[in-house]
Amino acid sequence: MEVVELTKKLVSIASYVDGKLNEKELGIYLKNYLDENLPWLQITTQNLNNGRFNIIAIPNDTPKVLFLAHMDTVTPVGERDVVLSPVEKEDKLFGLGTADMKSGLAAALIALKNAGKEANAGIILDCDEEYYFEGAKKLQAETSLKPGLLVCPEPTRFEII
């Protein structure tokens, strides 16, 4: 159940972009999580704007496996406090980002933690996937990693990509 609890925590941190909010607070939480739970990873950030930043957490310059996950969600519709309060109902979890992408992000973090240092795996967390791809553009311009396998744990047509 560790992944469910982590997903709930991630859902409770607003990370939509609306002029007042963005991924900054979630990025801070995730950087601290990585520092505490995956100390073997080398963590760097790429600053964007308005305090936003991508996170690159890799064991070395040639990781075998690299997860790619975005930190933002769509802008909520309806009562914002409600969608940021995750609810379990009939073995399902509801809340903003539970499917796209905070559950996949949580699953990737737990997989990395359980795999340990020997797995030679890391994660990239980027900003702005739901809007203008500013984080991906920055990654493309400034990063040249070539992992053996790149995994995006986002539910795209219910297929692994």
Side-chain angles (χ1 to χ4, degrees):
M1 283 303 180
E2 188 177 6
V3 71
V4 173
E5 294 308 312
L6 182 54
T7 301
K8 287 179 181 179
K9 177 61 181 173
L10 299 180
V11 168
S12 72
I13 303 171
S15 61
Y16 54 88
V17 180
D18 73 349
K20 296 177 186 173
L21 292 170
N22 60 37
E23 308 92 337
K24 179 183 174 185
E25 293 304 317
L26 182 59
I28 292 169
Y29 175 83
L30 290 168
K31 186 172 180 314
N32 289 335
Y33 180 92
L34 290 163
D35 285 335
E36 292 172 19
N37 293 282
L38 295 100
W40 58 88
L41 296 178
Q42 303 162 17
I43 301 169
T44 57
T45 58
Q46 291 180 321
N47 293 321
L48 297 172
N49 56 24
N50 297 326
R52 302 159 82 190
F53 54 92
N54 291 332
I55 300 171
I56 302 168
I58 53 177
N60 53 56
D61 290 336
T62 56
K64 280 186 178 177
V65 177
L66 192 58
F67 288 97
L68 175 63
H70 63 88
M71 294 183 278
D72 62 316
T73 62
V74 296
T75 304
V77 176
E79 295 182 49
R80 293 174 189 225
D81 291 343
V82 172
V83 296
L84 297 174
S85 300
V87 174
E88 281 186 81
K89 189 176 185 181
E90 298 178 18
D91 293 327
K92 294 179 183 162
L93 186 60
F94 297 88
L96 185 62
T98 51
D100 180 10
M101 132 131 261
K102 292 183 176 180
S103 59
L105 172 51
L109 290 171
I110 299 302
L112 287 169
K113 184 177 171 185
N114 291 340
K117 183 178 184 176
E118 300 76 30
N120 192 18
I123 190 166
I124 293 178
L125 306 167
D126 67 315
C127 295
D128 203 48
E129 189 271 352
E130 299 290 355
Y131 304 92
Y132 302 104
F133 299 100
E134 287 183 36
K137 290 173 185 174
K138 182 91 164 180
L139 286 166
Q140 185 178 20
E142 298 180 10
T143 308
S144 60
L145 292 169
K146 296 188 186 318
L149 177 64
L150 182 66
V151 179
C152 179
E154 182 169 355
T156 304
R157 294 178 305 280
F158 301 105
E159 297 175 11
I160 295 174
I161 57 169

